[in-house]
Amino acid sequence: MPYIWPLKRINSVPVVLSAMLCLGGIVASPASAADRDTSVNLKSEASVALEVDRLIDSVLKKAHVEPAPLTNDEDFLRRISFDLAGKPPTPNQITLFGLDPTPNKRNQSIDKLVGSKAYAENWAGYWRDVIYSRATDDRSRRFQTSLNDWLTEKLNANAGWDEITKELLTATGDVRENGATALMMAHMGDAAEIASETSRIFMGIQIQCANCHDHPTDVWKRQDFHTLAAFFPRVRVRPKRNETPPSFEVVSLNFQPRQNNVFDAERFFRLADRNRDDKITKAEADQNERLKNVFGRILSVADTDKDGALTLKELKDAPRPQNRDRGRTEYYMPDLNDPSSEGTLIQPEFFVNDAAPRSGLRDVERRETLSEYIISKNNEWFAKAYVNRIWTEMLGEGFYAPVDDIGPLRSAQYEDVLNLLAAAFAENNYDMAWLFRTIARTRAYQREIRPRDTSGSTPAFASAIPTRLRSDQIFNSLMTVSGIDSNALQSRLGERGQGAYGIRRDPKMLFSATFGFDPSTPQEDITGDIPQSLFMMNSDQIRNLTQASYGTPLSRILRENAINQDALDEVYLLTLSRYPSKSEREICEKYITDVGSRNEAFEDLLWSLINSAEFITKR
Amino acid sequence: MTISVHENIRTGRNGFSRRRFLHTVSASAMAAGTLSFRDVMSLKAEELRKENRSMILLWMAGGPSQFETFDPKPDHPNGANTKVISTSVPGIQIAEAWEDIAKVMGDITVLRSLTNKEGNHRRASYQMHTGYVPSGSVKHPSLASNIAKEIGSEELDLPSVVTIGRGQEAGAGFLGVDYEPFVVGNPGGLPDNVAVRTENRRYSRRMGLLDKLEQDFAKRGGEIAVDNHRRIYQKSSKMVLSSEVKAFDLNEESSSLRKEYGDNQFGKGCLLARRLVEQGVSFVEVRSNGWDTHADNFEAIPRLASQVGPATAALISDLKQRGMLENTLVVWMGEFGRTPRVNGRGGRDHYPRVFNGLMAGGGVKGGQVIGASTKDGVSVDDEPITVADVFQSVCHSLNVDPESENISPLGRPMKIVDGGKVIPGLFS
């Protein structure tokens, strides 16, 4: 092992955190020196990228595998454009990039894309999907754009992943105004759900499997899950019904509300019984703020003589509602054998290193403490989870799979590469832009795709893997074909873009109802489905997009390129960001001749390319 | 021809799977040249077509309260004064608001002792759809996809698994795109984009061009993507060009029948389910959302019942009238039940320890209750029924071998159902 992260459960020796982790720069434990060149400058993208390739190449060499060569300029530009900016390059960009003689042009284009506005939007969308794909409360989904906007802003400002994590974990306020409340909102403040997602998203550890039983294949115990949940029992998500449009807010419940068991039935009855006839009727209940909404419900359980009104005796004898969870400010681990019992009071504790905050912390203080534990440079899983995710997303295969199931008992491939990147990521204060630039620079990332190796014996990263594009990326590709910028589309929609709850109806989000998937899903499980193909084949949108009648992108191409070959190049550049191959050219030319009508043939061509597997695949 | 050969043949919806047949029989009879594929085919065709088995799952997403559905407790405070009504079967009482179900009780078995351990929506729903608890490393195929794989017809132009209504717990998992459910969000007319917008000749020409243009990318390294894509496009094409898509159009039904099912999402969904099953679809799930009644349980359930009750009853009697009930298993359930105690918001919380469900058709004996919860509804009193038991029973009804194994991507053989037994007394 290159270096050992302190983990008390694996190794019960008291951990010496600072000694083992070298915060000043290069990690120099004796174990690492053998594997990793200590001259690596962890601050430098070029230096780290070089070392990543050296480590990978040495494994490939040992396996006698010749890595695929670097991919050509067309494919490279399309790949980084999708990965960094979430959209394909325009035909113009492809041509210019091909003609550019600068030797350093790949790095230049990487640097340019990482700082772009599209980069912020792309990765904001990615994390929006990570969080909301697992939302346990459907009402929360309508606030997705708030998270999207907030993340875009953060990414534009190049906020660190630690800062973003901390804000997501500690947010309060109106969910429409503060997008950082998303994680709390997505689970309606449920402590157990928030805990499992916090662990999964920020540390890649599926601690929720320990919810009901000791983790079968990991070191975590049932108690560990619940001590994590104990950081969140004071989170509440409340509807703001009186606002127009209605919203929710994340608030802290720091004190037990006044004991509701000392409900003063007599006083309550006197107040509500306005005409003093010793009965509360519907009409009287309607005038009472506390009673008007619940009267029917109380009647259904308390009205023993079924006269539609409540007497004092009926009110007193009514089965006492249980209000256990709502007023609780501490976390109780449920008793599985008796779910209706109170359960065991659990104090917050961070399962990774058993750090525990002092008692009596208020809600936000608790959550702040947890976020500090998580983003601490002593917590290896924070950096590793992020690096594993981004690497997987960019290269199609990660160090750990599935992407969000890592942990001490999982085994990683190329663990030394992961450790290096995670250490460097931490060293650069969790600078996401830095990591993107570094990964994109590696030869491992820039390799060609290759025909599938059926033997299954080739180590990973010898060639690039084609992966399915996310919904936003496909949407942006269609926008590129149409020549319409999606922001312009938004403003063109104007008033019609305004959906329910005052949330703007993002056409991207509508598209994702059909094409969206949880970005944590393993690539091999993302196969597409019939509604998606039906949209591409038969929808009005695609039909309009592929027509050659006046005003469409195709009509422009046909008008500007009298020669079919040129027009063909343009159509290919627009859809697949490359020129057609020789055999494709032949197929197309024959097709144009056979069909007879130039317009009709090109319509079919454009339709076919948009409907191709390649159109929705990163290559 | 020997009887043993016949027994080896696995029946499918409209015949049987040639592949499986060859697989199981080839070693013996085929190799010996004693019978040809066609011989068996012609002999058995009619008989096998009659099998035509399928399942309709009525899924109550959120977890329906057993107390306000089919296991009321009028004599205990936990029953919260929910009234009971008698049914067409003497001795069986169910909660009020389910009058239509009461009328068809003669065709239904009520299961009152379902029991499980998962109290989280996601996990429990996954388990109730796949038979397995979620695991990070394996994506289990749903029972629906397994059934489609085992008995789905290869000649069918429609997808063999259809889900009606939003939300989905589990798809085909590692069984792949062929058994992925087709989701109909809005039952009634043709699903979105099913109508072909160009004339068929041009459409076929385009598909031919697409196929040719995919070859280069497939050769370069995109073969998995291209292969999946091609299979989905073939399925989509087959469907849009087929006359079978008319099954989606409910306007072909009489207005009185449509009214009987109910002019609402769930009612239309049930009617569509019957039409799809009639067309040869193996598994249809119709979803009803809103059963997660943490608050206002007592207002929500009558409202839900006003749609689910009439539609379920109409489905059962319609199937029966058409002689389809014997081969169509109808299952009504959700991911768990709800707590015996009513909470402060007039709701009930998640409770997997004991809950209820309904089964009808597919050989299920009608007019009976199996299992019981205790008087206070806190636990199982008699004949606990596990998720595996339910799955075993479904397989029994559909003539699917529960021991049939799929190989997971990690090379592990996984049975369709792991453990459990057919619920005793369920079938006549």
Side-chain angles (χ1 to χ4, degrees), chain B residues 197-242:
Chain B
R197 309 300 304 271
T198 48
E199 66 271 37
N200 285 359
R201 192 184 51 86
R202 186 171 182 196
Y203 178 83
S204 310
R205 194 175 75 192
R206 280 179 169 187
M207 292 299 288
L209 177 64
L210 170 62
D211 205 45
K212 280 189 198 136
L213 292 180
E214 298 259 57
Q215 289 165 5
D216 253 31
F217 180 55
K219 269 185 235 147
R220 272 183 73 195
E223 69 268 72
I224 300 177
V226 170
D227 186 49
N228 276 332
H229 192 71
R230 190 174 282 159
R231 276 193 289 159
I232 290 170
Y233 268 65
Q234 274 164 1
K235 273 178 77 174
S236 306
S237 271
K238 211 163 97 172
M239 180 167 132
V240 301
L241 297 174
S242 166

Side-chain angles (χ1 to χ4, degrees), chain A residues 421-546:
Chain A
L421 284 169
F425 181 49
E427 175 62 23
N428 286 282
N429 297 316
Y430 307 116
D431 179 347
M432 300 184 285
W434 181 91
L435 186 69
F436 282 116
R437 286 193 299 263
T438 304
I439 297 177
R441 269 165 191 262
T442 61
R443 289 199 311 277
Y445 173 76
Q446 296 190 15
R447 290 197 229 284
E448 259 179 10
I449 55 168
R450 256 186 190 170
R452 179 162 40 148
D453 166 36
T454 44
S455 74
S457 58
T458 309
F461 313 139
S463 59
I465 301 172
T467 55
R468 164 68 64 122
L469 296 172
R470 285 181 291 112
S471 175
D472 286 1
Q473 295 167 324
I474 299 174
F475 179 82
N476 289 339
S477 299
L478 289 171
M479 283 297 125
T480 301
V481 173
S482 73
I484 303 169
D485 162 30
S486 68
N487 291 321
L489 182 74
Q490 186 63 57
S491 57
R492 197 188 287 186
L493 284 174
E495 282 301 298
R496 280 192 300 136
Q498 206 67 239
Y501 300 97
I503 310 288
R504 66 182 162 77
R505 219 168 41 207
D506 192 336
K508 246 186 224 179
M509 296 307 294
L510 295 175
F511 188 75
S512 98
T514 304
F515 284 85
F517 57 82
D518 179 353
S520 307
T521 316
Q523 262 302 320
E524 59 271 21
D525 292 345
I526 305 161
T527 48
D529 59 27
I530 293 180
Q532 292 173 4
S533 62
L534 290 178
F535 176 88
M536 288 300 209
M537 283 161 42
N538 294 333
S539 69
D540 285 339
Q541 289 91 329
I542 300 298
R543 184 163 168 259
N544 293 337
L545 189 62
T546 52

Side-chain angles (χ1 to χ4, degrees), chain B residues 65-70 72 79-80 82 95-96 98 297-298 301 348:
Chain B
S65 166
Q66 62 278 30
F67 299 98
E68 280 68 45
T69 54
F70 310 113
T82 295
E96 60 180 341
W98 295 94
N297 181 64
F298 303 93
I301 292 187
R348 297 183 187 268

Side-chain angles (χ1 to χ4, degrees), chain B residues 89-395:
Chain B
V89 178
I92 301 181
Q93 291 191 315
I94 58 176
E96 60 180 341
W98 295 94
E99 291 84 3
D100 299 272
I101 298 288
K103 285 180 204 149
V104 293
M105 191 51 78
D107 293 312
I108 294 176
T109 288
V110 181
L111 305 172
R112 282 184 180 159
S113 54
L114 295 172
T115 181
N116 195 21
K117 291 203 169 76
E118 294 292 348
N120 166 298
H121 289 295
R122 211 185 174 87
R123 294 177 59 81
S125 301
Y126 182 94
Q127 190 188 358
M128 296 296 277
H129 278 80
T130 64
Y132 289 86
V133 292
S135 115
S137 53
V138 186
K139 215 174 143 205
H140 302 94
S142 67
L143 179 65
S145 301
N146 269 318
I147 288 171
K149 178 169 174 258
E150 296 295 321
I151 64 171
S153 159
E154 279 161 32
E155 289 86 56
L156 183 71
D157 294 339
L158 301 178
S160 47
V161 183
V162 178
T163 298
I164 304 167
R166 286 286 163 212
Q168 189 188 315
E169 275 74 28
F174 57 73
L175 292 187
V177 297
D178 288 343
Y179 306 103
E180 212 50 70
F182 177 68
V183 179
V184 179
N186 202 1
L190 280 186
D192 287 347
N193 305 318
V194 161
V196 179
R197 309 300 304 271
T198 48
E199 66 271 37
N200 285 359
R201 192 184 51 86
R202 186 171 182 196
Y203 178 83
S204 310
R205 194 175 75 192
R206 280 179 169 187
M207 292 299 288
L209 177 64
L210 170 62
D211 205 45
K212 280 189 198 136
L213 292 180
E214 298 259 57
Q215 289 165 5
D216 253 31
F217 180 55
K219 269 185 235 147
R220 272 183 73 195
E223 69 268 72
I224 300 177
V226 170
D227 186 49
N228 276 332
H229 192 71
R230 190 174 282 159
R231 276 193 289 159
I232 290 170
Y233 268 65
Q234 274 164 1
K235 273 178 77 174
S236 306
S237 271
K238 211 163 97 172
M239 180 167 132
V240 301
L241 297 174
S242 166
S243 59
E244 288 175 11
V245 292
K246 288 201 195 105
F248 287 102
D249 186 1
L250 301 183
N251 289 320
E252 293 192 344
E253 299 288 336
S254 72
S255 64
S256 63
L257 188 67
R258 274 184 284 159
K259 210 172 140 199
E260 208 181 304
Y261 274 90
D263 186 22
N264 54 65
Q265 289 289 98
F266 191 78
K268 287 180 191 170
C270 285
L271 179 53
L272 175 55
R274 192 222 78 211
R275 288 177 61 84
L276 292 171
V277 161
E278 209 167 24
Q279 197 62 249
V281 175
S282 307
F283 194 105
V284 184
E285 173 171 341
V286 189
R287 301 175 59 94
S288 166
N289 288 313
W291 291 90
D292 194 16
T293 51
H294 288 288
D296 303 334
N297 181 64
F298 303 93
E299 286 92 65
I301 292 187
R303 192 179 67 237
L304 291 160
S306 70
Q307 300 193 352
V308 173
T312 306
L315 176 65
I316 292 171
S317 35
D318 192 14
L319 287 169
K320 194 174 180 180
Q321 216 152 33
R322 287 163 194 267
M324 293 166 64
L325 191 59
E326 214 24 54
N327 286 327
T328 311
L329 177 66
V330 179
V331 178
W332 179 104
M333 65 180 183
E335 62 265 43
F336 37 59
R338 308 208 71 91
T339 45
R341 293 207 56 176
V342 178
N343 68 25
R345 289 170 282 169
R348 297 183 187 268
D349 304 317
H350 306 174
Y351 201 71
R353 197 160 153 197
V354 54
F355 57 110
N356 71 8
L358 304 178
M359 282 196 179
V364 165
K365 204 192 284 179
Q368 63 169 349
V369 173
I370 295 182
S373 59
T374 50
K375 271 205 170 110
D376 53 6
V378 169
S379 50
V380 172
D381 195 33
D382 191 24
E383 297 189 53
I385 302 168
T386 64
V387 178
D389 296 341
V390 172
F391 277 46
Q392 286 282 354
S393 307
V394 167
C395 286

Side-chain angles (χ1 to χ4, degrees), chain A residues 380-401:
Chain A
E380 61 178 315
W381 304 112
F382 181 63
K384 282 185 173 176
Y386 183 84
V387 169
N388 189 51
R389 238 179 212 286
I390 301 304
W391 181 278
T392 306
E393 187 65 16
M394 290 176 74
L395 280 92
E397 183 171 359
F399 305 104
Y400 289 97

